[in-house]
Amino acid sequence: MAGENVVGREPIQIIHIKQKSCSNVFGSSPCTASGTADQKCYNTYPTCQNKDNYAATTLDLYFTKANLNHEVLDTAGGSPLYLIPSLVSASTAPTVINVGGSNRNVSPLGLRAVLNVVFQDHPHSGRVVDPYQAGRTFDANARGSFWSKWAVRNKYHKGSDILIYDGYVGQALDEMTSRQYIIDKLSGPSSSGGVRIVAKDVLSKVIARKSMAPAASKGELLSDIDAVVTSVVATGALIADYATTGTIAIGDEMMTYSGRVQTTSDTVTFTITLRGSDGTTARTHEAEDTVQAVLEYTSEKAWDVVQDLLVNYAGIDTALIPITDWDLEGSTYLPSFTITTKVPDPTPVETLVAEITEQSLFYIWWHEVDKEIKMRAIRGVDVEPPLFDDGVNIVSGSFKIKEVPERRISQVWTNYGVVNPIENLTKIKNYKTSELLADLDAESTNEYDEPSIKNVYSRWITDRNVVLDFNTKTLNRFRDTPYEVTLQVDAKDRANWTGDTVRLSHFAIIDQHGERVITNWRIMSAEAIVPGEVVEYTLDNATLEGVIVVYMDAGDPDYVGDGTDQFNGAWYAGADGLYSNGDAGPTYA
Amino acid sequence: MGVLFETGYSLPNGDEPLTNARIAHSGNWISGGTIAASTTATGYFEDAPDESTTYEKWGPSALPATWENDLGSALEIDYCTISGHTMGDNGNTLQVQYDSTGGGVWVDVINVAITDNQPIFCIFEPETFQKWRINITNGTAPTIAVVRFGKALQMEQAIYGGHTPLKLNRKTTVRSTRSELGEWLGRTKIRNSLGGSYSWTNLTSTFVRANIDTLIQSIETEPFFIAWRPDKFTDVEYCWTTQNPNGPHHTGPVDHMNFSMNVVAAGWL
C-alpha cells in the first residue's frame, strides 16, 4: 500500500524522456548500413548511417534521484524500469490560466508551464541507450560521460516528450501522477558535471517566432499587372500553396479567385473574380510582388478555428486536443460564437488564438496531468465543486488573499466589422461598428471612483448579438474588483488541478456580519512546490460566474431544503408560492 | 544478514583477529573475469554484478539460478560480497561455491538462508580456484546489483569507542503538514543515506605503507564493502567516501599512525 494518503509516505520523482530513436537493427533490412561493431550507430538520427530507412520510434529513458534504493515497476506486477540515478532536482513553474484576458500583463493564453530538471553527469555502461553495447570492443564507462554522449547522439532532442512522475515508494509507474512537457533546451554537462534540461508545455509551440498563420506564400508575380486584369500568374509557387478557391493578397490589395491551375512546374495562374475585394482598392502591382494566400474562415465555430490554428499552423498533435470535449463545451455554452474573417498577413498563431479565446469567452490551457489542451467556456459550474477548508485541507500559514484591481472592468468597447483587413487593426476607424457597455455605478464616487475600460478590436466577430453577449458577460464577470487566493494543500488533496473549480471555506472569507461564506474559486495554477508533499494553488473568485441550473421536472425528487437536494436543480414553487417543503419560493419582480 | 561465516570457519594462521575490520575494495577484488548466468530476466543484465553501480542489476528468470565468475586462473579467494540484492525479500538460500575440479564439481563455502536485503560479506577460509559462483535456491527470483570475489584487507587494529555504526545512522528528512486550524494532515519521509566515519589508531607504519595507500587509491574510484567488527556485529556496508580521506598521520614518537575516512552508504534497504 503506497500513496499520498499513507502516513510516512516516501515521495519519489522519476523523469521520463521519450528519446527519438530508430526501430531498425543496424545492417539488417531495411537498414543498409554496414560497418564493424565499433562503427555501428546508436539508433538515433544524428548517428544514423542510412537515413533514408530511418524508422522513427521512441526509447523510454527513466531517471531518478540517487537515494532511491527500490525498484520501480512499470505496472503493478509488471516489469522493472531501468532507472538511472542521476536526477538531482526537478521543479516546475505552472501553467497559469488567464480567463477572459483579464490579466492584461500577459497573453490571454496565460503563462506557459516550464519544467526544469537538473542531472549530475556520470560514467555509463551504455546499456539500454546503446543497442550494440555488448558487441563493441571498448569500455563505454571509460569513454565520455552519459550526458556528453547523449547530447551528441541526440542533438535533435528539442521537442521530445519529457514527463515528470510524482509518486511514492511502493507504487508502480502507472500509479503515479505524471505531467508532460516538451524539451526546449539542454545545457551542459558543465565541468562540474551539471546538466539542465528546460522543457515547456505544448502550447509553447504557438509563441510568435514558432508559428504563423497564414503561412508565408512563396509565390511572386511573374510580371507587372494593372488594376483590372483578372488572370494573375504567380511564379515560384505550387497550387498546393493556395486553397482551391479563396482570396490572395498582393501588396495592399486583396482579390478573390474562383480557381487556380499549375501552368508550369513553378507557376500558378489564378482566375480572379474580384479585384480590390474586402474593402481594399484595386491597384497596379509589379513583378516579384508577393502573392500571399489569405487565411479565411466562414461561419466556423470559434473553438474549431482555434483547433485548426493549433494543429495546422502550430504543429500540435491532434491527439492532444480532445475535440469531442471541446465541441460539447462549445455547443452547450457558446453556440452563437461563430467566426467569419480573413487574415491576409502571416500573423503569430499566438496572437490569433489569444484574440479568439478572449473575444469568444472561452479559454484554453495545457493540462499537464491529463496531458491534453483543455477548453472551457467562461461559465458557472454545473456540478458541485469539492470543498477546501481551513480545518482539513489548507496548510497552516499558506493562505493569502488579495485584490486584483487591474482586472476590474467598468466599460467594454467592442469594435467589430473590419473595414480593410490589410489596414491597422487597432484603429477604431478600421471598424464599421462599435458597441459600448458601461456600468456607470461602478465608476461612481460611491464605488470605485474611476473607469476601467476594456477596448476590444475584433476581426472575428461579425454578429451584433454576439458582441452584445460578449460585452454583457464580460462586464458581469469583472464588474467588481476580482480577488485572488494563494494556498497550499497536502498531497492528499492534490487531485484537483488547473481549471478545476473548488469551494473555499476559510476564516478570512466572510460576509459583512462576520459569518463564513463558502464561495467558488477556479484554480488558475497548480504547482507541486514540494513534490509528493505540498501543492500550491492560485485561485480566482468564480462566484460571479454562478451556477448553471436545470429545472426539475415532475418525475424528479421534490425540494427538501436540507442540503441534500441536487446541486444544480431548480424547482418550481406551487401556485401558493411555496416549495413542497413549505419554504417560500422566489418571487418575480 | 551482513557478515556470513563459512560453517566451521577457523581463523587462518597469521590473519588479524575478527575484532578487526575486513574491507573488500577494488584493489583486492577480482575484475575482468568471464561472467555467465544460468538465466537473465528481461530488464536485467547478466554482467551487471561485475560492476559497482547498483542501478544495473542481474535478475534470473528462474530458480535455481547461478551467477558464475571465471577468474581466468586459480586465485586465492577468502570473501564474496554482495550488495543491492533482494534475496531477503525473495526468501532465497544463498550458496557461494567454487569449482573444485574445473569440471563442474561445485563445493559450498557458504550455504545460508537469507533473511534481509542488507549487504553481505561472506568470510571463509582461503581457497585457490579459478571458477566461483553464487547459487540461489528457494523462494522467488531476486535481483542482485554487485557481486565481488577477492581476498580481503584485514585492518591491523580494531575500531574502538566512539564509532557510530552506519546502519544505525540514518540520514532521513521528515516533515509533517498541518492545517490552518491545527489538524495533522500527513507526514513525509525523504530517504537519503547512511553516513558516518571509520577511524583507526595505532596502525604501524609498515601496515599503513603496505595497505592504506592501495585502499585510498581504490576508494577514490569505486565503492567498497566493510565489515567493521565481524566477530561481534553483522554490520556490513557498501559505501563510498564523500571526499578523499586525509592521509594517515603519525601520532607521536612511537612508529604508529592514525587513519580515518568519512563515508556514506546507500539508504536503508
Side-chain angles (χ1 to χ4, degrees):
Chain A
M1 181 67 182
E4 60 268 25
N5 294 317
V6 175
V7 174
R9 63 202 171 191
E10 296 181 50
I12 57 175
Q13 281 187 308
I14 292 173
I15 295 294
H16 175 190
I17 293 177
K18 295 185 176 181
Q19 178 195 304
K20 296 172 185 174
S21 184
C22 176
S23 59
N24 291 336
V25 175
F26 183 90
S28 296
S29 179
C31 176
T32 60
S34 62
T36 66
D38 287 354
Q39 293 170 332
K40 290 181 177 178
C41 67
Y42 293 86
N43 277 26
T44 63
Y45 194 76
T47 66
C48 180
Q49 297 160 37
N50 179 215
K51 286 186 165 60
D52 288 345
N53 286 315
Y54 181 84
T57 183
T58 55
L59 173 68
D60 296 315
L61 297 179
Y62 299 94
F63 304 85
T64 190
K65 291 182 179 175
N67 61 7
L68 177 66
N69 298 312
H70 277 270
E71 282 191 330
V72 176
L73 305 179
D74 54 358
T75 59
S79 302
L81 299 178
Y82 179 76
L83 280 171
I84 301 174
S86 61
L87 174 64
V88 175
S89 65
S91 59
T92 55
T95 294
V96 181
I97 293 174
N98 186 11
V99 175
S102 60
N103 184 350
R104 303 180 208 186
N105 297 320
V106 301
S107 160
L109 289 180
L111 297 177
R112 304 277 59 79
V114 178
L115 169 67
N116 258 292
V117 189
V118 176
F119 300 94
Q120 179 63 43
D121 204 6
H122 55 94
H124 188 252
S125 63
R127 295 188 181 101
V128 176
V129 293
D130 177 5
Y132 313 112
Q133 172 260 350
R136 300 195 194 269
T137 61
F138 56 83
D139 177 8
N141 275 310
R143 281 195 182 186
S145 60
F146 178 87
W147 284 106
S148 59
K149 289 184 283 192
W150 193 87
V152 173
R153 296 171 187 169
N154 298 278
K155 69 176 182 179
Y156 305 125
H157 49 262
K158 189 175 177 69
S160 297
D161 289 335
I162 181 170
L163 293 90
I164 178 171
Y165 287 83
D166 282 323
Y168 300 90
V169 170
Q171 283 186 321
L173 190 71
D174 70 345
E175 295 171 324
M176 300 178 185
T177 299
S178 64
R179 288 164 281 157
Q180 182 171 323
Y181 308 84
I182 53 176
I183 292 177
D184 185 49
K185 62 183 176 184
L186 180 149
S187 307
S190 65
S191 55
S192 60
V195 174
R196 179 185 297 273
I197 287 180
V198 176
K200 297 182 177 176
D201 76 43
V202 70
L203 280 174
S204 65
K205 288 187 173 183
V206 307
I207 67 172
R209 66 182 176 82
K210 293 184 178 177
S211 57
M212 307 285 274
S217 299
K218 297 175 184 172
E220 297 175 349
L221 276 180
L222 180 64
S223 56
D224 295 354
I225 61 171
D226 61 23
V228 296
V229 298
T230 56
S231 179
V232 170
V233 181
T235 184
L238 299 172
I239 58 169
D241 300 335
Y242 302 90
T244 309
T245 61
T247 308
I248 54 176
I250 304 174
D252 55 2
E253 179 189 353
M254 293 169 66
M255 50 191 88
T256 56
Y257 62 92
S258 59
R260 82 283 191 255
V261 293
Q262 189 88 44
T263 41
T264 72
S265 62
D266 71 341
T267 59
V268 173
T269 301
F270 295 88
T271 302
I272 303 298
T273 52
L274 180 62
R275 295 290 303 269
S277 70
D278 303 286
T280 64
T281 303
R283 301 180 187 280
T284 60
H285 301 284
E286 297 178 350
E288 300 183 4
D289 283 357
T290 299
V291 180
Q292 174 64 48
V294 173
L295 178 64
E296 189 169 352
Y297 296 106
T298 305
S299 299
E300 299 278 356
K301 296 169 186 170
W303 56 94
D304 282 345
V305 173
V306 169
Q307 191 226 17
D308 179 63
L309 290 167
L310 295 179
V311 172
N312 295 319
Y313 295 93
I316 291 176
D317 189 341
T318 53
L320 301 178
I321 300 175
I323 194 62
T324 304
D325 295 346
W326 286 30
D327 275 334
L328 179 61
E329 179 78 7
S331 58
T332 304
Y333 299 108
L334 305 166
S336 59
F337 283 85
T338 56
I339 278 174
T340 296
T341 197
K342 290 184 179 181
V343 183
D345 297 320
T347 307
V349 171
E350 179 182 27
T351 301
L352 301 177
V353 172
E355 288 176 4
I356 296 170
T357 55
E358 180 183 22
Q359 295 164 22
S360 300
L361 295 176
F362 67 93
Y363 50 101
I364 64 171
W365 73 101
W366 174 246
H367 197 293
E368 305 102 311
V369 177
D370 289 352
K371 303 171 189 63
E372 60 187 18
I373 299 171
K374 301 281 193 185
M375 173 264 184
R376 180 81 56 84
I378 300 176
R379 61 173 174 84
V381 292
D382 52 2
V383 294
E384 186 169 21
L387 177 67
F388 277 7
D389 72 21
D390 47 9
V392 298
N393 305 109
I394 301 171
V395 169
S396 174
S398 69
F399 183 91
K400 299 183 184 73
I401 186 167
K402 66 176 183 181
E403 289 183 342
V404 197
E406 62 271 22
R407 297 183 194 171
R408 181 180 68 84
I409 297 170
S410 64
Q411 296 185 33
V412 188
W413 303 357
T414 302
N415 311 287
Y416 67 104
V418 174
V419 174
N420 182 338
I422 288 182
E423 294 295 322
N424 190 332
L425 293 176
T426 59
K427 298 285 187 188
I428 290 178
K429 67 178 183 182
N430 197 24
Y431 291 87
K432 295 171 185 168
T433 314
S434 294
E435 289 291 345
L436 184 154
L437 185 64
D439 187 331
L440 299 180
D441 287 344
E443 299 175 0
S444 69
T445 53
N446 289 329
E447 295 195 16
Y448 296 104
D449 199 21
E450 62 181 9
S452 179
I453 300 170
K454 183 183 179 77
N455 203 349
V456 176
Y457 300 96
S458 183
R459 67 177 106 194
W460 309 97
I461 305 175
T462 53
D463 185 329
R464 180 171 183 271
N465 289 327
V466 174
V467 172
L468 296 177
D469 191 21
F470 167 77
N471 285 357
T472 302
K473 286 178 176 172
T474 300
L475 198 58
N476 286 346
R477 174 66 179 79
F478 298 104
R479 184 257 185 223
D480 282 314
T481 296
Y483 283 83
E484 188 174 281
V485 159
T486 303
L487 58 84
Q488 296 170 1
V489 299
D490 185 83
K492 71 182 178 64
D493 298 316
R494 66 180 178 177
N496 294 284
W497 206 254
T498 308
D500 292 342
T501 299
V502 300
R503 290 180 299 145
L504 280 191
S505 175
H506 188 272
F507 59 76
I509 303 175
I510 56 174
D511 66 14
Q512 60 186 326
H513 306 296
E515 290 280 354
R516 276 182 188 241
V517 290
I518 298 176
T519 46
N520 291 341
W521 297 72
R522 180 189 299 103
I523 299 175
M524 308 296 291
S525 69
E527 181 180 9
I529 57 167
V530 184
E533 192 175 339
V534 176
V535 173
E536 182 169 281
Y537 296 126
T538 300
L539 309 100
D540 79 335
N541 192 335
T543 305
L544 285 177
E545 292 168 11
V547 176
I548 297 169
V549 297
V550 293
Y551 285 116
M552 308 301 286
D553 69 20
D556 289 327
D558 287 342
Y559 180 71
V560 179
D562 63 356
T564 63
D565 301 303
Q566 182 173 318
F567 170 73
N568 64 335
W571 282 262
Y572 290 100
D576 57 0
L578 301 177
Y579 284 132
S580 53
N581 70 339
D583 288 351
T587 56
Y588 181 79
Chain B
M1 295 297 291
V3 177
L4 301 177
F5 286 105
E6 178 181 13
T7 303
Y9 177 77
S10 173
L11 190 69
N13 286 336
D15 275 16
E16 298 292 346
L18 291 170
T19 53
N20 298 9
R22 293 326 193 237
I23 299 176
H25 60 76
S26 64
N28 64 31
W29 63 50
I30 310 302
S31 59
T34 302
I35 307 301
S38 55
T39 58
T40 300
T42 302
Y44 299 101
F45 311 97
E46 180 182 71
D47 52 353
D50 197 35
E51 296 174 3
S52 292
T53 53
T54 55
Y55 67 96
E56 294 181 330
K57 301 185 179 189
W58 167 66
S61 57
L63 295 182
T66 60
W67 185 89
E68 180 182 331
N69 192 341
D70 182 339
L71 309 182
S73 62
L75 297 171
E76 188 176 56
I77 302 295
D78 71 356
Y79 75 76
C80 171
T81 51
I82 301 172
S83 185
H85 70 89
T86 60
M87 289 188 286
D89 286 348
N90 292 85
N92 302 128
T93 296
L94 169 70
Q95 293 167 277
V96 178
Q97 300 173 319
Y98 59 83
D99 184 351
S100 60
T101 65
V105 179
W106 294 94
V107 175
D108 288 352
V109 289
I110 295 289
N111 188 339
V112 177
I114 305 298
T115 57
D116 62 38
N117 296 341
Q118 294 294 323
I120 293 171
F121 202 128
C122 301
I123 298 175
F124 41 85
E125 295 170 23
E127 302 285 356
T128 304
F129 291 96
Q130 178 174 332
K131 293 181 179 178
W132 291 79
R133 74 177 188 182
I134 59 173
N135 184 32
I136 300 165
T137 57
N138 298 325
T140 54
T143 58
I144 295 176
V146 181
V147 179
R148 299 294 191 182
F149 295 97
K151 197 161 190 310
L153 168 63
Q154 302 174 8
M155 294 302 287
E156 192 182 34
Q157 295 287 346
I159 294 172
Y160 290 105
H163 176 68
T164 301
L166 261 66
K167 69 178 297 183
L168 303 178
N169 201 24
R170 297 157 67 116
K171 305 295 185 185
T172 308
T173 301
V174 293
R175 287 190 292 261
S176 296
T177 50
R178 65 187 175 87
S179 76
E180 288 272 75
L181 299 186
E183 301 289 355
W184 192 80
L185 299 180
R187 186 171 179 85
T188 300
K189 182 165 75 173
I190 310 295
R191 62 177 53 208
N192 195 336
S193 61
L194 308 175
S197 63
Y198 294 101
S199 299
W200 292 270
T201 58
N202 298 324
L203 302 169
T204 65
S205 62
T206 304
F207 174 85
V208 168
R209 292 174 188 280
N211 297 284
I212 299 302
D213 186 44
T214 304
L215 172 66
I216 291 173
Q217 291 191 40
S218 298
I219 63 180
E220 278 178 0
T221 53
E222 305 244 19
F224 60 98
F225 291 85
I226 182 167
W228 73 279
R229 194 172 180 114
D231 71 325
K232 194 169 185 179
F233 302 115
T234 61
D235 302 354
V236 173
E237 300 303 340
Y238 183 59
C239 50
W240 53 93
T241 51
T242 51
Q243 56 190 18
N244 267 1
N246 292 326
H249 58 279
H250 290 276
T251 55
V254 183
D255 185 22
H256 284 172
M257 302 181 78
N258 293 352
F259 173 64
S260 64
M261 54 188 176
N262 296 321
V263 300
V264 294
W268 64 97
L269 299 173

